[in-house]
Amino acid sequence: MKHYDIIIIGGGLAGLTAAIHLANAGHGILVFEKEPYPHHKVCGEYVSNEVLPYLKSLGINLKDHKAVSIDTLKFSSVKGIVLETKLPLGGTGISRYVFDDLLYKRAVASGVSFIFEGVSSINFKTFVFKVVTVNNKQFTSRITIGAYGKRSSLDKHLKRNFINRKSSWLAVKSHYKLDSFPENQVGLHNFNGGYAGLSKTESGAINFCYLTSYKSFQREKDIERFNTRVVSKNAILKNFLNLAKPLFELPLTIAQISFHPKKPVEGHVLMCGDTAGLIHPLCGNGMAMAIHSAKIASERIDFFLKEKEPNRNKLEREYREEWSRTFKKRLWLGRQLQKLLLNPTVSHWGITLVAKQPWLLKQLIKNTHGQPIQ
Ligand SMILES: Cc1cc2nc3c(=O)[nH]c(=O)nc-3n(C[C@H](O)[C@H](O)[C@H](O)COP(=O)(O)OP(=O)(O)OC[C@H]3O[C@@H](n4cnc5c(N)ncnc54)[C@H](O)[C@@H]3O)c2cc1C
């Protein structure tokens, strides 16, 4: 059975960031990822600029990969109210196809080992983790990071509370070509039961990604009908869907998206990114939080592994506390905003108020985002 300092389960943004950070600090890392790179993922593909300095410190400059600079948010309601505001920190448009792949290549260059197989179980006994893959290969480690995203069979295996609660959201994403779409703009457009993001990526393609409740989707049953009969009730989205040319043969979809609170440490596994908690996509901060949580975990783990007398209770307590201090308020605010936005009466009055008091929108953006991290 091969032994590593650290095993990371999931090679998305959180897992890959932690892998690079910890490999650069001199640790032996094994990442399990169930999909080969590169691949498309359901995501709005708008990255908050708060993570750019830290990514640079890991040797990743998104601008070297033709990522797009975004400084304006355009928001619209079903009833036709349109708001535009400058984004305090701004953001970057880059596809997950390119972003995850460039982190993967960076991780390989830093000496990280990869196994492209799903993990089916993790057990912690006498200070050692035993990790078993779906093909029954077994590995051990001193530390295990859970970075396997929103939902996995591992959550059942670890008996996590949120996994038995109903999750009533699904998401759809596709790339489109539309030359007239402004490069510096991210759109957030409301429709009955959900909202859609629109922004440009490094290839010039526009990412169109939406989140909707099952209740709203179920009535129409297929994506085309849903786009025509529900999404297109918003005039901006109707115009986009009429003019833009789809670049994917079929849109990508994911279901059972859960926004219920989770715990950042379970079964002694340190959880990062969506595995620790998913912020509502309307905040445009999930990727930054995934990267930031990986940084926090990596700093604590590096310290733990280099200590003469490592204290696991202290490691877990301090990670839990720092994670909560950094993200809990943002996650809570995201949940409240989503509730407001999806209640047609309340959202109409809320949006009318924000249209009259534009500083309110800036405050909301500020409170759902973090400060630049080094
Ligand atoms: C509709 C929607 C739109 C969004 N838009 C935005 C946006 O515009 N901006 C933003 O910042 N955030 C956005 N987000 C959030 C963002 O996508 C996530 O927060 C981010 O992807 C989290 O990264 P992660 O590394 O935690 O998880 P992921 O990127 O999901 O990575 C997890 C990885 O683990 C792998 N995996 C899963 N199970 C196993 C297993 N058992 N064994 C091995 N590997 C496994 C998966 O294949 C995957 O590659 C959006 C989310 C949704 C749902």
Side-chain angles (χ1 to χ4, degrees):
M1 215 182 297
K2 205 154 176 203
H3 183 79
Y4 288 82
D5 294 337
I6 302 149
I7 284 180
I8 300 176
I9 302 164
L13 297 179
L16 291 168
T17 302
I20 300 166
H21 186 126
L22 288 161
N24 290 349
H27 304 291
I29 321 281
L30 173 63
V31 175
F32 289 98
E33 170 52 54
K34 60 187 177 71
E35 306 277 349
Y37 300 97
H39 57 267
H40 285 288
K41 271 186 177 167
V42 175
C43 180
E45 302 187 330
Y46 165 86
V47 189
S48 167
N49 279 348
E50 69 208 55
V51 290
L52 296 190
Y54 173 58
L55 287 176
K56 268 193 196 152
S57 77
L58 297 181
I60 294 143
N61 187 352
L62 299 185
K63 294 284 148 52
D64 292 345
H65 302 270
K66 297 191 177 151
V68 170
S69 290
I70 297 171
D71 63 6
T72 303
L73 168 71
K74 183 170 182 170
F75 174 84
S76 71
S77 73
V78 194
K79 292 197 173 168
I81 300 176
V82 180
L83 310 174
E84 232 178 88
T85 184
K86 286 280 169 210
L87 291 159
L89 271 177
T92 300
I94 186 161
S95 70
R96 295 297 298 271
Y97 190 86
V98 166
F99 195 3
D100 290 40
D101 190 49
L102 76 94
L103 284 172
Y104 163 63
K105 287 183 178 135
R106 181 75 249 164
V108 171
S110 300
V112 175
S113 305
F114 281 81
I115 291 183
F116 289 97
E117 225 172 276
V119 166
S120 57
S121 71
I122 314 164
N123 286 296
F124 181 75
K125 227 186 210 170
T126 50
F127 310 114
V128 173
F129 288 93
K130 188 169 135 200
V131 171
V132 183
T133 73
V134 289
N135 294 323
N136 212 22
K137 291 183 197 144
Q138 303 188 4
F139 301 82
T140 55
S141 64
R142 281 182 74 190
I143 292 282
T144 292
I145 297 178
Y148 48 83
K150 293 172 252 315
R151 192 183 193 90
S152 159
S153 53
L154 276 176
D155 292 315
K156 270 215 167 111
H157 163 75
L158 290 170
K159 299 192 174 71
R160 301 186 79 193
N161 277 342
F162 84 93
I163 200 75
N164 295 319
R165 296 178 68 183
K166 213 173 145 203
S167 39
S168 47
W169 300 97
L170 66 100
V172 178
K173 167 236 176 93
S174 192
H175 280 181
Y176 287 77
K177 184 173 161 53
L178 180 63
D179 292 336
S180 60
F181 191 90
E183 185 157 310
N184 66 331
Q185 187 185 92
V186 57
L188 178 63
H189 305 291
N190 195 200
F191 56 81
N192 270 339
Y195 49 85
L198 281 175
S199 55
K200 217 169 209 177
T201 65
E202 77 293 333
S203 65
I206 321 298
N207 184 29
F208 174 55
C209 181
Y210 62 77
L211 182 85
T212 179
S213 65
Y214 276 119
K215 212 170 136 201
S216 178
F217 190 80
Q218 252 168 3
R219 285 183 218 120
E220 305 305 334
K221 294 195 172 62
D222 74 67
I223 293 172
E224 215 166 301
R225 269 170 68 97
F226 188 72
N227 284 353
T228 314
R229 295 166 70 128
V230 179
V231 176
S232 294
K233 288 262 159 60
N234 178 309
I236 290 182
L237 295 175
K238 183 178 183 181
N239 193 42
F240 176 79
L241 287 168
N242 282 343
L243 296 177
K245 183 173 161 265
L247 298 174
F248 289 1
E249 215 167 289
L250 285 173
L252 302 181
T253 55
I254 47 168
Q256 289 191 298
I257 304 167
S258 166
F259 297 101
H260 296 305
K262 301 173 182 173
K263 289 184 183 160
V265 182
E266 296 215 45
H268 303 279
V269 178
L270 303 194
M271 306 298 187
C272 288
D274 288 356
T275 316
L278 172 62
I279 190 164
H280 282 282
L282 68 94
C283 302
N285 205 237
M287 287 192 272
M289 284 173 52
I291 292 165
H292 194 171
S293 62
K295 175 180 186 274
I296 295 171
S298 302
E299 286 165 349
R300 300 265 166 219
I301 290 167
D302 182 41
F303 186 74
F304 171 85
L305 291 175
K306 287 176 178 163
E307 256 181 332
K308 275 210 182 91
E309 287 176 24
N311 181 335
R312 191 175 294 274
N313 284 339
K314 185 168 162 255
L315 165 73
E316 293 177 13
R317 188 187 64 248
E318 288 185 353
Y319 177 63
R320 198 180 292 118
E321 285 172 0
E322 194 171 347
W323 188 93
S324 298
R325 255 197 320 275
T326 316
F327 304 117
K328 225 173 169 174
K329 193 174 129 211
R330 270 186 248 178
L331 286 159
W332 178 84
L333 190 58
R335 279 194 282 274
Q336 309 315 311
L337 284 176
Q338 166 120 336
K339 267 189 220 153
L340 283 181
L341 191 65
L342 297 183
N343 177 323
T345 321
V346 183
S347 79
H348 179 67
W349 291 114
I351 294 161
T352 311
L353 176 71
V354 171
K356 287 186 185 146
Q357 308 281 339
W359 61 270
L360 267 173
L361 186 58
K362 281 216 166 81
Q363 267 316 106
L364 288 176
I365 296 168
K366 215 170 134 199
N367 283 300
T368 48
H369 288 69
Q371 293 302 312
I373 55 166
Q374 304 292 331

